[in-house]
Amino acid sequence: MSVDNRRTARKASTGDSAPREIRRRPKNRRAQIAAASAAAFGALGYHGVSMEDIATGLGISSAALYRHYPSKYALFREELLRVGRAMTEAVELPAEATAWPPERRLRHVLDALIAVTIENRPTVTLVRWEGRYLEPEDLATLNDQQFAVLGALGDQLAVLRPELTEDDIRVLRMALLSTITSIADHHATLPAKSLARLLSSACEPIIGTELPAERPAEPLQVVEIPDSFKHELLLRKAVELFHERGYPNVSVEDIATAAGLSAASAVYRFYRGKSDLLAAAFRRAAERVSGAVGPAVATAASPEGALTTLIDQYVVGSFAERALTYVYFTEFQHVPAEERTVLRNIQRLSVEEWARLLREVRPELAPAEARFLIHAAFALVVDLGRAFDNQPMAAQERVRLLMQVVLFGRPAAA
């Protein structure tokens, strides 16, 4: 019997009408896992994702996933440090760069950093906001990688603008990195080439910014909360703890203790639970931004005047409530699902109003481009606050100017 006849006979005896499909493991399985995990961690946070969630998203079993990574932490760690390494390598100049003029060297570093950020946008989200959940040794490695990126930007700035002080260089290099990586803070979309051009053009005026002289930091207006206002005290203490430890690492008992309450049960007289406190904090932050738009537009003589007023108010509010500003960027995935839709709508409308005003000042911008710049300006405030707190080198006057430069491409008109 021939081979073909034997195959036909076997099919007839087994009832098979077609060859059995052989499933082969994709050669790029680890890359697929990395991409899926970055998207999941970015959307739900490190603590909100399980290995089963990632496996389900890939259409594989948990056992198959564990063949590649022994734990969720191993997957998380590898992805963050991989992108940190990619960013570090991107800012290394080629050997022939020694003959380039300073402008070209800095432009090469920025373009390479922009490209790797766009390529790894979901994981850059983790580098920005979830890195604190790395173990101390791994966090130190990630921080070293980020310092290397900042160092490369600062080195090229110092050569290009030798008149800058060390503090000025530190502020400007952080503003450049913040502007580029701000694309990880939202879901607005642009084609990769268009986005690269936009980020490049946004960095250009930052490079040439003449920062005002350092002055003593403006005193922050901290409102004292009467002891009888327990709901306000609980909210403030909860936000402070979420900022310091991360939402998953804070309990209702911790919040009660910080607010001077004798038992966790006392919290429930004012809030349904920890998530209700977080939602209340988000509503306050969102309404602070959205509520400022109408009065600014009504009282300003021009769209640029309105936007300049909004910038001033945004900086003042963010400086006054540092912890809340930071939590607003880091903990959204922990807000109860029923609250997220409302908050997203408030956020979207606020960004749209700012973008509308910006396009009246800069009609050459497409709507999506204006939205990206608004998000970049918002990110500047939190990133400079994280890096320098209320030090004179990043005082409110300087932060306001950098927001104007990112949005208008220049300082605001007097």
Side-chain angles (χ1 to χ4, degrees), residues 224-239 255-271 277 280 284:
E224 293 298 325
I225 300 175
D227 289 342
S228 58
F229 282 35
K230 288 298 183 185
H231 65 291
E232 281 293 320
L233 185 60
L234 281 166
L235 187 58
R236 175 178 291 181
K237 293 302 181 182
V239 168
I255 297 168
T257 300
L261 299 180
S262 58
S265 58
V267 174
Y268 299 111
R269 294 204 299 267
F270 307 97
Y271 298 95
L277 279 158
R284 178 160 300 182

Side-chain angles (χ1 to χ4, degrees), residues 139-161:
L139 180 57
T141 299
L142 182 66
N143 287 338
D144 287 344
Q145 292 169 338
Q146 294 297 289
F147 287 141
V149 173
L150 288 168
L153 292 170
D155 289 347
Q156 300 311 316
L157 271 171
V159 175
L160 180 63
R161 297 188 60 192

